[in-house]
Amino acid sequence: MDKVLYNGVIITANEENDVYSPGYIHVKDEIINEIGEGSPHHITSEGIQFHNLNGKWVIPGLINTHGHTPMTLLRGHSDDLPLKRWLQEKMWPMEQKLTREAVIASSKLAMVEMLKSGTTTFLDMYHLFLDDIANAVDNAGMRAVITRGIIGLCSREEQKAKLDEAISIAQTWHGKGDGRLTAMLSPHSPYLCPPNFIAEIASAARELNIPVHTHMSETSQEVEENVLKYGKRPVEHLLNTGFFNGEALVAHAVHINDEELDILSQNQVAISHNPMSNLKLGSGVAPIQKMLQKGITVSVGTDSVASNNNLDLIQEMRMAVLLQKGVNEDPTAVTVDEGIKLITANGAKALGLDQKIGSIKKGLDADFVILDSSAAHLQPKLNALSHVVYSASGADVLDVYVKGKQLVKDRQCLFLDEEKIFYECNKHYQMMTIS
Ligand SMILES: [Zn+2]
């Protein structure tokens, strides 16, 4: 591809948060070759395509740093329960009925939803049919971090089998799809994995030279139980297992004190903040203003739609930003400039992909999203960045590119059969509820 998109508003999410209006992007092959303000009159070469954006807005491809795509089938299956009962009484029994076909259909449904709302990269933690999921990601042209969530409350033989499987999945997929797929190792959580097994998983990740990921300090009950069982709160507990010795990303971190934040900051642990899931399950609100003040990398994840109930990362960002203002009674708590980075540059850093993606910058991969700026809720059009953070939603996404390849055109996925996927998901869910 050798293409210039011009006459648009380019929201870069770079270090200075530059917005070029009007601006242009020159995409050459898979890379952003040039970006700038004004007109691209100086760019001339044989065969180059010019595309007039007519004032549309361009943002980086969005990055969802925590989720479980096979649970997309369980959207609306259970509402209004706390995490423990929700998992044990509603989610786990249904997940036991998930067939290979259902997992594939469900993951594809999540991919359609994510792509059409501007997400190009996502972390997927699951325990079933990961090879099929990774294959579907590759075929869809998206990016994903594939990681097998490991529950360690089982026999030593089962633990070993699960870890071997997780390692094998990581070895198979890390770097595949021309670098679009990477891997992590993930003990599910300190409450579902004994500490010596967490230590073993973390050391296996270091041998593979990949990061680790886990759920941590999601509910106050989890923290209390950790103290009762192990005499330590989850952060110190994980620190002692060596979990933070290499690159680490933890999801939630809702119930966390200042001392724990210092440990996370010193160990350069990144956070995936999942505000809507934490609200829906009544878990609480993570102190991300404090995290940002301490220099911690804070990104945003949706968690699964079973506790969200959608994968719209623009809405998730808005919730993250507004919650901090309300909870801290401080309208400056998280700003517009910080907000956009939660789902772009910070997400890339949290996944260890900041040398490739996360902003619209010369030399990075050409992952970007074009928003329709003509809707009523985006008028008047000046202050595009403010509108993206405080007024837009995933429904404003028109076109999506990953590595210079167009994956969504005029709100339609080009490499995923939406109608077939919707049909299959409805069929599988119906079968699971009557069996
Ligand atoms: Zn989760």
Side-chain angles (χ1 to χ4, degrees), residues 66 68 215 252 303:
H66 182 75
H68 315 277
H215 297 99
H252 304 305
D303 217 348

Side-chain angles (χ1 to χ4, degrees), residues 66-68 125 188 215 218 251-252 274 277 303-304:
H66 182 75
H68 315 277
M125 185 209 270
H188 178 280
H215 297 99
E218 183 172 356
H252 304 305
N274 297 186
S277 173
D303 217 348
S304 87

Side-chain angles (χ1 to χ4, degrees), residues 112-249:
V112 169
E113 188 183 349
M114 284 193 271
L115 269 180
K116 291 180 80 170
S117 54
T119 294
T120 50
T121 302
F122 62 99
L123 178 145
D124 207 5
M125 185 209 270
Y126 211 59
H127 59 284
L128 298 170
F129 309 110
L130 267 300
D131 289 318
D132 294 296
I133 295 171
N135 207 29
V137 175
D138 193 13
N139 292 334
M142 293 182 80
R143 291 181 196 269
V145 177
I146 301 293
T147 182
R148 193 219 189 275
I150 303 173
I151 291 180
L153 304 180
C154 49
S155 71
R156 181 65 196 143
E157 287 69 36
E158 281 174 274
Q159 285 184 350
K160 272 179 75 90
K162 287 178 180 180
L163 179 54
D164 285 348
E165 188 189 311
I167 291 170
S168 151
I169 289 163
Q171 285 172 328
T172 305
W173 293 102
H174 192 66
K176 287 285 157 58
D178 205 13
R180 285 181 292 106
L181 286 125
T182 57
M184 293 190 187
L185 291 189
S186 299
H188 178 280
S189 55
Y191 61 94
L192 292 180
C193 245
N196 55 350
F197 190 36
I198 292 177
E200 191 182 348
I201 296 168
S203 94
R206 285 196 296 278
E207 261 173 51
L208 292 167
N209 201 18
I210 58 173
V212 287
H213 179 52
T214 197
H215 297 99
M216 187 194 76
S217 306
E218 183 172 356
T219 63
S220 53
Q221 188 186 357
E222 171 198 332
V223 175
E224 281 162 25
E225 285 175 4
N226 208 88
V227 172
L228 273 179
K229 200 165 174 189
Y230 301 113
K232 301 234 170 340
R233 291 170 64 88
V235 172
E236 204 184 340
H237 175 75
L238 281 178
L239 179 73
N240 291 346
T241 67
F243 192 75
F244 300 142
N245 289 355
E247 268 184 82
L249 168 67

